[in-house]
Amino acid sequence: QGLKPLVPTESPGPHPIFGTSKPAPGLSATDTFLGTNKVPDLQKVFQRSDGLPVHLKRGYPDKMLYRTTMALTIGGTFYCLVALYIASLPK
């Protein structure tokens, strides 16, 4: 009988091929299928010297996430301290 070949006999189909610089099957070489490169724009935002920490550079959404995180952290700490105090009371 022998061993079967490891090479698939059918084509991979319309699925994109990852890990290659070739365009996906069905797209011409001039089509952009990955979108625009946003890295240079983000580098300008994050490297600007405006005195803000990097986790607050993108404005209002970053401020809201930071404040929410701080509120949950302080609230959780307070909750733990109260729970420990209540647990230490004599019964």
Side-chain angles (χ1 to χ4, degrees):
Q1 301 274 335
L3 298 174
K4 295 181 180 180
L6 295 177
V7 179
T9 57
E10 57 189 49
S11 66
H15 303 292
I17 299 172
F18 297 102
T20 181
S21 60
K22 296 178 185 177
L27 291 176
S28 69
T30 59
D31 287 339
T32 58
F33 56 96
L34 295 177
T36 59
N37 186 6
K38 297 178 184 177
V39 172
D41 297 330
L42 291 174
Q43 283 177 340
K44 289 177 188 175
V45 169
F46 288 113
Q47 291 177 354
R48 185 174 43 213
S49 63
D50 52 6
L52 289 175
V54 70
H55 59 275
L56 297 175
K57 289 270 189 182
R58 293 181 74 184
Y60 184 74
D62 283 349
K63 289 179 185 176
M64 289 307 297
L65 284 172
Y66 177 75
R67 289 176 183 166
T68 301
T69 303
M70 289 307 295
L72 289 171
T73 302
I74 292 169
T77 302
F78 181 72
Y79 176 80
C80 288
L81 292 175
V82 169
L84 285 172
Y85 175 74
I86 291 174
S88 69
L89 292 176
K91 295 180 182 179

